[in-house]
Amino acid sequence: MHNILQKYPTIISAACFFFASNVFAQTLPTAPTPPSINAAALYQQHCASCHGEQRTGLMGPALLPESLERTRAPEVLRVIKEGRQATQMMGFGDLLSGAEIQALADWIRTPVVPAPRWTAADITASRIATPLPAGTPNTPLWQADPMNLFVVVEGGDHHISLLDGDKFEVIKRFPSRFALHGGPKFTQDGRYVFFGSRDGWITKYDLYRLQVVAEVRAGLNMRNVAVSADGQWVMAANYLPHTLALFDADLNLVKTYDAATQDGTSSSRASAVYDATPRNSFVVALKDIPEIWEISYDKNAEPIYDGLVHDYKMKEGISKPGFLNVRRTPLTEPLDDFFFDQSYQHALGATRPRKGDGKPSAQVVNLNARVKVADLPIAGMPHLGSGITFAYKDTTVLASPNLGGGAIDVIDMKNWQTVRTIPTPGAGFFMRSHENTPYAWTDSMMSPTAKDTLTIIDKRTLEPVAQVREPGKTLAHIEFTKDGRYALASVWEMDGAIIVLDARSFKEVKRLPMVKPVGKYNVWNKISRSEGTSH
């Protein structure tokens, strides 16, 4: 198997990806499994050869509760019964009874006991390198503006489309790993892109030569990846195991970090890692521990003082090097996700609902002072990972979609107070803008009645001025061309599309069929850290 993977990494990685990635988890009541059905034995007989004895994945994806949490229960049943077209996942409807298929579907959502492990040795052994031949030209195989390319993630059948942002034509479509998540990350020259999958795979793809050049499995269930500003470092945040993994630019493992308290008594899922380019560091949120971490890749970083000290600024205690080590900031609540202000001095993070009062919260952390400086007055459940900032009158404001209600909260970043609450038709997930447009766009994809509606907000007045609708479909995730002239929206369906809209008139310009295009990412907007896109 290892030899097959080395020889055909991209083909095999796409071949058995049989569960369609869905945005929301859904748990349906099921009849109890008859005692005569041994689901574990069925799995070993029919599934283990592709998905691993411990369900951690081989040719096919991992089948763990953490990996399947966003896959709808009916889809799991359908795929086991019918298989997936254009993959090696056969259907078992003729081999297994309905009760046996139901038992398998239920069983793969239960935890593996003992819990599977993924060590540094496992990471190193998983690496697959497919370097370009010596003498390969350092030029693209295509004719287009390399800074105005879009990488489109088609979640429906696990493919990537590379889109020319001037002609709006697909340059190349190629298979991806199972259930990409967290958004692709580009090197500053725009040549390489890194993808992270739910299954823990990181793929380095050469956009110039249209080829995978390296892959590695950083964990069993991965949240996202970040790439340093200089392109020399790649960091992965894992849910399972509770670790961070640091790689060099060629995806060789450099170091792993246990996502745990300093005394090691509590561990956590790593909920997000982002590159803080002006700081030359990675910033990490932990889902289960009230800390935010900063890991500098600056070789001249100041030493770190941990332990029992009166004031870390007094440099008491024994230090450790600042380079590639953890600098901890204690918080009152763990952060589920976050984003940066334009100065990268502050991390603005959201927490999940508290156990006591059931309410989410949002907070501002000063990364220089290493302390929380404000609570954000945002109602509902803010999706700050998709928040944006922009100039408004004499200040800079942040605006965030809300997973828990139909409104956009706009916050003054000078005093962290609410400027305006803008009504929308329903709860949204993504918000986007661009420096060269006076408008911000947000979806209402979390709403069963308004998922087909994009709301366009005038940044000068903070008033809704228009809507774009795709009746009966899910319409979401705006991204702009490099110059901000066009806005691209996703029809988030299996028979979906990318809709190109004029960013001034809001009229449709072109439509490209796609298979559930869950996200699209413009090279220039990402590497220039546009104020209107996620970083």
Side-chain angles (χ1 to χ4, degrees):
M1 180 64 67
H2 182 67
N3 292 334
I4 294 174
L5 287 172
Q6 283 188 319
K7 190 172 182 181
Y8 303 112
T10 305
I11 296 173
I12 293 298
S13 67
C16 290
F17 298 158
F18 72 92
F19 286 118
S21 174
N22 284 275
V23 181
F24 314 113
Q26 177 174 308
T27 302
L28 298 180
T30 57
T33 300
S36 60
I37 297 179
N38 186 333
L42 286 174
Y43 176 85
Q44 293 300 324
Q45 179 182 355
H46 298 290
C47 314
S49 61
C50 271
H51 299 281
E53 291 188 3
Q54 284 197 296
R55 294 159 36 206
T56 54
L58 286 172
M59 289 191 302
L63 301 181
L64 302 168
E66 298 87 351
S67 303
L68 301 174
E69 63 182 355
R70 296 197 177 196
T71 304
R72 296 178 185 270
E75 177 67 8
V76 175
L77 291 171
R78 186 192 68 77
V79 173
I80 295 175
K81 181 180 179 181
E82 302 175 10
R84 271 188 75 80
Q85 293 182 351
T87 77
Q88 292 181 4
M89 176 60 195
M90 60 177 287
F92 289 87
D94 294 334
L95 295 175
L96 302 177
S97 69
E100 288 173 323
I101 291 174
Q102 183 68 65
L104 264 178
D106 293 341
W107 188 72
I108 61 176
R109 289 187 181 274
T110 63
V112 173
V113 180
R117 302 175 67 233
W118 195 252
T119 66
D122 295 319
I123 296 172
T124 300
S126 73
R127 182 176 177 271
I128 306 163
T130 52
L132 296 170
T136 301
N138 187 24
T139 55
L141 291 170
W142 32 263
Q143 298 294 321
D145 180 355
M147 290 290 110
N148 199 27
L149 297 180
F150 288 84
V151 167
V152 183
V153 177
E154 296 184 66
D157 62 354
H158 310 293
H159 275 71
I160 302 294
S161 283
L162 185 62
L163 181 65
D164 182 336
D166 293 311
K167 297 180 180 178
F168 302 117
E169 296 176 351
V170 174
I171 296 171
K172 173 80 171 180
R173 190 174 191 264
F174 56 92
S176 76
R177 289 279 178 178
F178 169 77
L180 299 186
H181 186 256
K185 301 299 188 295
F186 301 94
T187 55
Q188 283 296 112
D189 60 2
R191 174 164 184 173
Y192 297 101
V193 60
F194 294 83
F195 301 102
S197 77
R198 287 278 186 184
D199 273 12
W201 283 96
I202 305 173
T203 301
K204 181 180 181 180
Y205 189 86
D206 187 338
L207 291 172
Y208 281 15
R209 309 308 294 181
L210 302 176
Q211 179 181 323
V212 173
V213 292
E215 291 189 296
V216 70
R217 193 174 190 183
L220 300 177
N221 183 254
M222 188 169 67
R223 186 63 175 171
N224 72 328
V225 297
V227 178
S228 65
D230 59 9
Q232 297 303 304
W233 307 99
V234 180
M235 180 166 278
N238 290 319
Y239 266 19
L240 181 70
H242 291 179
T243 59
L244 300 165
L246 179 68
F247 302 88
D248 67 16
D250 295 317
L251 298 183
N252 295 293
L253 181 65
V254 175
K255 186 175 183 178
T256 60
Y257 304 77
D258 290 330
T261 53
Q262 190 173 337
D263 60 10
T265 58
S266 299
S267 68
S268 173
R269 294 165 290 177
S271 59
V273 57
Y274 298 116
D275 174 62
T277 299
R279 305 177 67 86
N280 293 316
S281 66
F282 295 114
V283 178
V284 182
L286 303 177
K287 196 174 185 71
D288 310 303
I289 294 174
E291 294 181 354
I292 190 168
W293 290 5
E294 185 165 13
I295 299 173
S296 177
Y297 48 82
D298 182 351
K299 292 184 177 179
N300 298 316
E302 293 185 0
I304 297 168
Y305 293 85
D306 285 326
L308 296 175
V309 296
H310 294 96
D311 187 339
Y312 75 89
K313 289 177 288 187
M314 299 296 291
K315 298 184 178 179
E316 301 176 23
I318 300 174
S319 69
K320 60 184 176 184
F323 177 60
L324 300 186
N325 282 313
V326 176
R327 190 182 302 273
R328 301 169 186 262
T329 295
L331 304 173
T332 56
E333 298 279 350
L335 296 183
D336 187 67
D337 202 358
F338 67 96
F339 80 118
F340 301 104
D341 64 357
Q342 288 298 108
S343 72
Y344 282 74
Q345 180 176 337
H346 297 99
L348 300 92
T351 68
R352 290 295 176 179
R354 305 181 185 95
K355 291 182 179 179
D357 56 17
K359 295 180 179 179
S361 63
Q363 55 188 296
V364 182
V365 180
N366 187 306
L367 296 173
N368 294 334
R370 291 168 57 196
V371 65
K372 185 183 84 169
V373 295
D375 289 305
L376 291 176
I378 298 179
M381 190 181 297
H383 188 222
L384 287 173
S386 286
I388 63 171
T389 63
F390 56 89
Y392 174 68
K393 295 184 177 179
D394 62 348
T395 189
T396 300
V397 296
L398 75 88
S400 172
N402 194 323
L403 306 181
I408 298 292
D409 285 302
V410 182
I411 306 295
D412 189 330
M413 299 182 74
K414 287 182 179 178
N415 57 24
W416 309 113
Q417 298 300 307
T418 302
V419 176
R420 184 79 56 87
T421 298
I422 306 169
T424 61
F429 203 82
F430 297 105
M431 188 172 188
R432 292 290 184 266
S433 186
H434 191 279
E435 297 91 327
N436 295 337
T437 176
Y439 304 110
W441 301 55
T442 189
D443 60 54
S444 294
M445 65 174 294
M446 305 290 287
S447 167
T449 58
K451 66 179 184 178
D452 59 2
T453 302
L454 292 173
T455 300
I456 302 165
I457 298 166
D458 192 319
K459 295 187 292 187
R460 299 162 295 190
T461 63
L462 303 183
E463 295 288 345
V465 293
Q467 290 183 338
V468 174
R469 297 191 64 227
E470 188 74 10
K473 307 289 186 179
T474 299
L475 189 61
H477 196 276
I478 286 287
E479 175 68 301
F480 288 83
T481 51
K482 180 178 72 171
D483 58 7
R485 182 177 177 183
Y486 298 99
L488 279 64
S490 291
V491 179
W492 203 313
E493 309 287 347
M494 292 297 289
D495 58 343
I498 294 295
I499 304 177
V500 182
L501 300 152
D502 187 294
R504 292 168 289 192
S505 67
F506 319 137
K507 301 297 184 182
E508 182 173 331
V509 174
K510 191 171 184 178
R511 182 174 294 232
L512 293 86
M514 299 275 178
V515 184
K516 198 174 185 181
V518 295
K520 71 213 73 66
Y521 307 87
N522 180 269
V523 172
W524 173 254
N525 290 342
K526 296 293 285 187
I527 67 175
S528 67
R529 304 188 303 280
S530 166
E531 70 177 19
T533 190
S534 62
H535 299 184

